[in-house]
Amino acid sequence: MAGHGVYGCTFIPAPRCANGSVFKEVHGLPAVGKITIENTDDELHIGQALMGLPLADLYFALPTDECEPAQLPRAVTKDCPVITENPSAKLNMLIMPDGGKTMDDYMTDPERCTTHMKKILIHLLEGGIIYQDAGYVHNDIHPGNILVDKFNIARYIDFHAVLQIDLIRNDDFLSQFEALFYLNKMFKD
């Protein structure tokens, strides 16, 4: 297991699917399996929409497929609270490329962090602009949802909380005010 959070757990390499499918690579990188009890349809749909953007692989670690995971041994899942606390829940797995370590892990190396942080932040801003120009707001950006690979390239992950900008924009003043307040609050936090 590579990591866990409230969403579920990530496994590198991705576990086998219940239907027997095996994903070893995605876009030339090792395949990661994100196992969750949440519905993965929306996140997969957003990932497929973003895949058509120029240079999407450089800015996002996008899910490319989904399946029900095969039964995993208890020894593998014992540290995954989503699985151990919900033993009868239906599990879903998203398949995505390995984008590296989370920003939290990356920042534990002060020398590497200070040397490359400006480049990483500029790269993240570029990705945010591409994302917004495509009509989306990530809505869950934090160090755990940013991966940094061995080449110091940062990628956004976890697209389950995405908002489409068209849903925010309309002619109702109150809705515009609420959206501006919400976005302003999001950037201050």
Side-chain angles (χ1 to χ4, degrees):
M1 186 172 75
H4 68 85
V6 295
Y7 61 85
C9 302
T10 54
F11 294 87
I12 304 171
R16 178 183 302 272
C17 295
N19 67 8
S21 296
V22 177
F23 296 90
K24 294 186 185 236
E25 285 190 355
V26 176
H27 302 299
L29 297 170
V32 174
K34 173 186 168 184
I35 296 180
T36 182
I37 58 174
E38 297 172 357
N39 185 321
T40 56
D41 293 342
D42 288 344
E43 189 168 351
L44 183 63
H45 175 73
I46 296 292
Q48 290 171 340
L50 292 174
M51 239 174 261
L53 297 176
L55 306 174
D57 291 353
L58 287 177
Y59 296 99
F60 316 109
L62 299 167
T64 60
D65 213 333
E66 66 181 334
C67 68
E68 181 181 340
Q71 184 70 30
L72 296 168
R74 173 99 174 97
V76 173
T77 63
K78 68 180 174 51
D79 295 326
C80 181
V82 168
I83 295 174
T84 59
E85 294 171 10
N86 303 288
S88 62
K90 181 182 182 307
L91 299 176
N92 298 306
M93 180 167 63
L94 284 172
I95 308 299
M96 62 191 73
D98 181 9
K101 296 181 177 186
T102 66
M103 184 65 95
D104 285 326
D105 292 339
Y106 183 84
M107 291 190 305
T108 60
D109 182 347
E111 184 178 328
R112 183 177 177 200
C113 187
T114 55
T115 303
H116 301 285
M117 190 52 69
K118 181 178 178 183
K119 177 181 135 188
I120 288 171
L121 291 174
I122 290 170
H123 188 78
L124 288 171
L125 287 171
E126 291 170 351
I129 290 168
I130 289 171
Y131 200 63
Q132 185 172 339
D133 283 350
Y136 300 100
V137 174
H138 189 286
N139 205 33
D140 193 22
I141 296 174
H142 56 81
N145 281 344
I146 297 170
L147 300 180
V148 183
D149 69 13
K150 64 185 178 186
F151 302 108
N152 302 302
I153 295 179
R155 290 177 178 85
Y156 292 105
I157 61 167
D158 201 359
F159 302 93
H160 76 277
V162 165
L163 293 175
Q164 287 188 280
I165 293 175
D166 291 345
L167 297 178
I168 296 173
R169 292 183 186 151
N170 65 37
D171 294 331
D172 178 19
F173 174 78
L174 184 58
S175 294
Q176 288 183 5
F177 177 76
E178 288 172 342
L180 290 172
F181 174 78
Y182 177 78
L183 291 172
N184 188 32
K185 182 182 179 306
M186 187 172 68
F187 286 113
K188 285 185 178 179
D189 288 345

